[in-house]
Amino acid sequence: MNDFDEIIHSPDFKQKTKKFGEILSKFNKIHSLTKYENLDFVMQDSLNGLKFITNSPKIAIDVGSGAGFPAIFLALVLKDCKWHLFEPNIKKSSFLTYAKINLGLENVIIHSKKIEDEAKFEADLITSRALMRADLLLEICKGFYNKETLFLLYKGSNAENEIKNLKDYKLNRYQNRVFLTFKGEKNG
């Protein structure tokens, strides 16, 4: 995580996360995008995933991006990576587009659709936060990963129930989160 400390503690990062919080608060009053009111907790939870990214991704996909957790925070840190955020809910994808523009996130592309409705391209990293079981996520992501693609899934306490069909995975516990990581190679 040391490589990212400088970015996370920079005035630019702090200014952008503050602005993101303001935008989220504004949208949340009207559209009820998320139940989280403490953005610091969600931001730290999102950034904790950096500890488990073992490659240097150039193309990343976040499936079911919702209100932007973890993808927006990861995109602020991994600036050399092109982030594709898939969110079919029009309210949420509109919010993400608004946030992307207002934060100047040129490395982020918003897809207002389900990933399975997109033309296939391969990613180096695929993330998702509590969207669906890992085996179902693998299924809908077919064509978007190869043997080197790293999956980083933000899971809760029931993560053990999702690993029975996976091979060569790691369950990484950090604070109140379970990070499930595996490569596409043995699981696709």
Side-chain angles (χ1 to χ4, degrees):
M1 180 87 171
N2 292 339
D3 296 343
F4 304 124
D5 281 345
E6 188 175 321
I7 295 170
I8 292 168
H9 293 100
S10 72
D12 181 60
F13 181 83
K14 290 178 181 179
Q15 182 261 336
K16 285 187 177 178
T17 56
K18 181 180 180 207
K19 190 171 189 176
F20 178 77
E22 291 166 357
I23 294 167
L24 179 60
S25 178
K26 178 180 164 182
F27 268 73
N28 215 22
K29 286 177 186 173
I30 299 166
H31 300 294
S32 188
L33 300 175
T34 180
K35 64 182 182 206
Y36 292 103
E37 294 183 15
N38 182 350
L39 189 62
D40 290 338
F41 170 79
V42 177
M43 177 179 65
Q44 192 57 55
D45 181 52
S46 296
L47 294 173
N48 286 339
L50 290 167
K51 295 172 178 22
F52 309 106
I53 297 176
T54 55
N55 59 359
S56 297
K58 295 296 177 204
I59 299 173
I61 293 173
D62 185 62
V63 184
S65 297
F69 319 138
I72 293 292
F73 298 112
L74 294 176
L76 284 167
V77 175
L78 300 171
K79 296 176 185 181
D80 293 333
C81 182
K82 184 65 78 176
W83 283 85
H84 294 266
L85 281 59
F86 286 89
E87 178 51 60
N89 179 299
I90 196 68
K91 290 179 192 175
K92 292 177 181 177
S93 63
S94 295
F95 162 73
L96 291 170
T97 301
Y98 186 83
K100 167 203 156 81
I101 292 167
N102 281 274
L103 298 175
L105 292 174
E106 295 179 17
N107 63 329
V108 172
I109 299 169
I110 310 299
H111 301 267
S112 300
K113 59 173 100 174
K114 293 180 177 182
I115 190 169
E116 53 266 48
D117 296 333
E118 178 67 47
K120 308 296 186 217
F121 61 90
E122 289 186 350
D124 305 307
L125 173 66
I126 296 177
T127 64
S128 186
R129 184 172 174 269
L131 179 68
M132 63 179 59
R133 286 190 344 240
D135 59 336
L136 297 175
L137 185 69
L138 270 164
E139 185 62 33
I140 68 168
C141 289
K142 277 197 191 252
F144 291 95
Y145 61 90
N146 60 42
K147 65 181 185 169
E148 296 301 318
T149 303
L150 176 68
F151 281 78
L152 170 62
L153 308 182
Y154 291 63
K155 296 294 183 179
S157 58
N158 291 328
E160 290 83 8
N161 298 336
E162 298 189 30
I163 57 176
K164 57 186 166 216
N165 295 326
L166 295 178
K167 300 171 190 148
D168 200 21
Y169 61 87
K170 290 182 183 170
L171 283 176
N172 306 285
R173 297 181 190 284
Y174 189 78
Q175 296 178 349
N176 293 329
R177 173 71 63 200
V178 176
F179 295 91
L180 174 58
T181 58
F182 55 89
K183 294 269 184 124
E185 138 186 51
K186 298 190 173 158
N187 291 292

